[in-house]
Structures are given as C-alpha cells and as structure tokens.
Amino acid sequence: MGNAPSEVEKATALLEEIRAESMPLKAAEGLDHLNTLLALATKETRMKVLEIRGVETIVAAMTVFLYFPADVQEKGCRALSAFVSGQGPNAYDDLEFVSLFESWEKAMCNAGGIEAILAAMKTHLSTADVQAQGLITLLEVAYRDHDRLWSIIEAAVAAMRAHPGFFSVQEPGCQLLSMVSGEENTSRVVAAGGIEAVVTALRAHRSSVRIQSDACEALANIASAGNEAKIVAVGGIDAVVATMRVHPASEVVQQRGCMFLSSNCEDGTGHFAIWSSW
C-alpha cells in the first residue's frame, strides 16, 4: 500500500485537473477542493502553487467559464481568498509565513485576480454568494491596487444595493467601504452611492454589531471629509443614533458612533440633526 499523497502533490494534481477541465461544474468542483486545501495550507504548499502558476490557473478558469452558472465564480473567489489569507496551521505564529502574505497578494493581483473577481461580480450581480466571496477576497487586496480602486468601490456598492438583506454581503461591503473611505477616496465612495448603501445596511441589520460598527466607521470617515449634509439628507445621523441605543454595551459601536457624531458636529446641519435625533 503506497503512501498517501502530500499536500503539495494534492495541490498539483488539482491544478492539473482544473487546467484540463472543459465542463464548468467539474471545474467548480476542482476549485472547491483546491479552496479546502489552500485554506489550511502550509507556506511550502502555497509557494509551490505560485511556482506552478496555480493562481493563473484559478483566474483562467474563472475567465473561461464567466458566462456559465455562477458556481465557478464563487469557488474561484473562495480559492483566491484562501490563497492570500493566513489561515494555515499556526500561521500568525510563523514570522516567515506572515512575511510572505505580501508576495502572495501581489501574485494574485499580477495574475489578473482583481479583474477576474470584478468581472464575476458584474456578470453575476444577482447571485449573493458570488458577491459575498468577491468582497471577502477584495478586502485582502484592495489597498494594493489604486488603479482599480474606483471599480472596486463601485462593485462593493452595487453588491450591497443588490442584496440588502444578506449579512454575508453587507458585512464585507461595509468593512471594505470603511477601509477605503480615507480623505483621498471619500469622493469616490460618495459618488458611487456609498453613503446610501451604508445607511441602508445600518437599518437592515440592526442586530449585527459587526455591520453596525463598520458602518459607523465608514460614515465617520466620509463625514470627516465634509459630507455631513449628504449624510443628514439620507437619514445617516438618525440611523447611527438608533444603533447606539440598540447596542449600549458594545464598546466598538459606541466608540465609532461617537466618532461619527463628533465628525458631524463640525457642520451646522449635522449639529442640528444630532440634537433632533436625540
């Protein structure tokens, strides 16, 4: 009886199968197995995947089967996310593992991973699983690609608008908008409809501390760049005050809510709206 194949051998075999596959459902199955393997893969396995152009293989499968049922796109986004995230055994205890995150993220970007994810999200806008997995993966790499940041912001807002009731979409969507809503990018978030999307998430997912805290932080960042009147116009202050009342024991919600209210106090319109909300 022979020895069981190693993790590297399994990854190599899966990638060969995906490259040769002409049926979308079989390709999705292969990507799903690859995602499972990569999620807990060692740094040696990830480096081997890089060496044999595994990231390019994932992107190629997503490109070839873009207009087929959404399974390939969802599984492809999952596999890319697993590749660049640090979920391997004792990942954060291994300094060399941590030091390699940047190279893995760059490899995904250079292989066309961001373009593949954006194409998947645009083509399969009605599929919540594709939107959720796309946003989760973009969270890992969005800050690395300033040239495509506008497209990433638009994709996030479109996903949140299309699936307002899905926690799986709203949570990474709010987190991404919070992450990119610095002074330099705030105008892009506002132009894409980010204020409305975040306020809608606040109202629709009142019980979720994670969504509420990320949404409050995103609005605070947007308000600090001089958008108080726009936030007031869509009921942003009322929404934040309401969530602070719902989550009085949550330190992160209270802290970010106060940060948002402080940003709005700098504007006369915002100051009046805060008093009216209380």
Side-chain angles (χ1 to χ4, degrees), residues 13-184:
L14 279 170
L15 288 166
E16 289 175 353
E17 290 174 12
I18 292 167
R19 289 190 188 105
E21 191 52 66
S22 60
M23 299 295 290
L25 291 179
K26 288 290 186 181
E29 184 178 319
L31 288 168
D32 195 31
H33 290 319
L34 184 63
N35 163 59
T36 301
L37 187 150
L38 286 174
L40 296 174
T42 63
K43 58 179 177 286
E44 289 79 15
T45 300
R46 292 166 194 256
M47 295 307 294
K48 183 62 177 180
V49 167
L50 266 186
E51 180 187 329
I52 61 177
R53 300 181 65 81
V55 180
E56 288 85 349
T57 299
I58 298 169
V59 171
M62 293 174 68
T63 303
V64 168
F65 298 114
L66 178 61
Y67 296 104
F68 286 80
D71 284 1
V72 172
Q73 306 307 313
E74 180 204 344
K75 308 304 184 189
C77 287
R78 283 181 184 271
L80 290 174
S81 179
F83 178 72
V84 298
S85 63
Q87 299 176 34
N90 303 316
Y92 291 99
D93 295 329
D94 186 336
L95 293 179
E96 185 182 356
F97 194 108
V98 174
S99 71
L100 290 169
F101 286 164
E102 184 174 352
S103 65
W104 295 330
E105 291 168 359
K106 285 181 178 179
M108 198 203 88
C109 293
N110 292 338
I114 290 180
E115 292 94 330
I117 293 166
L118 291 173
M121 293 177 70
K122 183 176 181 179
T123 304
H124 298 278
L125 183 59
S126 63
T127 305
D129 286 343
V130 172
Q131 303 304 307
Q133 290 306 316
L135 288 171
I136 288 169
T137 313
L138 290 175
L139 269 171
E140 302 281 354
V141 296
Y143 67 97
R144 293 199 174 280
D145 198 331
H146 294 287
D147 292 339
R148 296 175 185 80
L149 193 54
W150 172 239
S151 297
I152 291 171
I153 292 169
E154 284 190 316
V157 172
M160 293 173 72
R161 283 176 172 165
H163 303 280
F166 283 75
F167 171 88
S168 61
V169 174
Q170 298 300 313
E171 196 273 330
C174 285
Q175 193 175 348
L176 193 151
L177 293 181
S178 172
M179 182 178 74
V180 302
S181 292
E183 284 187 20
E184 182 181 343

Side-chain angles (χ1 to χ4, degrees), residues 155-257:
V157 172
M160 293 173 72
R161 283 176 172 165
H163 303 280
F166 283 75
F167 171 88
S168 61
V169 174
Q170 298 300 313
E171 196 273 330
C174 285
Q175 193 175 348
L176 193 151
L177 293 181
S178 172
M179 182 178 74
V180 302
S181 292
E183 284 187 20
E184 182 181 343
N185 302 311
T186 300
S187 61
R188 294 178 173 182
V189 174
V190 173
I195 294 175
E196 294 85 350
V198 171
V199 171
T200 297
L202 271 172
R203 290 172 173 156
H205 299 273
R206 191 73 73 193
S207 64
S208 169
V209 169
R210 290 167 63 183
I211 288 179
Q212 301 300 303
S213 60
D214 285 331
C216 285
E217 183 175 48
L219 289 176
N221 292 339
I222 294 169
S224 66
N227 295 285
E228 295 92 335
K230 293 176 182 177
I231 293 171
V232 170
V234 297
I237 290 178
D238 289 341
V240 171
V241 170
T243 201
M244 292 177 72
R245 286 175 171 159
V246 170
H247 299 283
S250 171
E251 182 178 347
V252 66
V253 169
Q254 296 301 313
Q255 180 185 40
R256 293 179 179 180

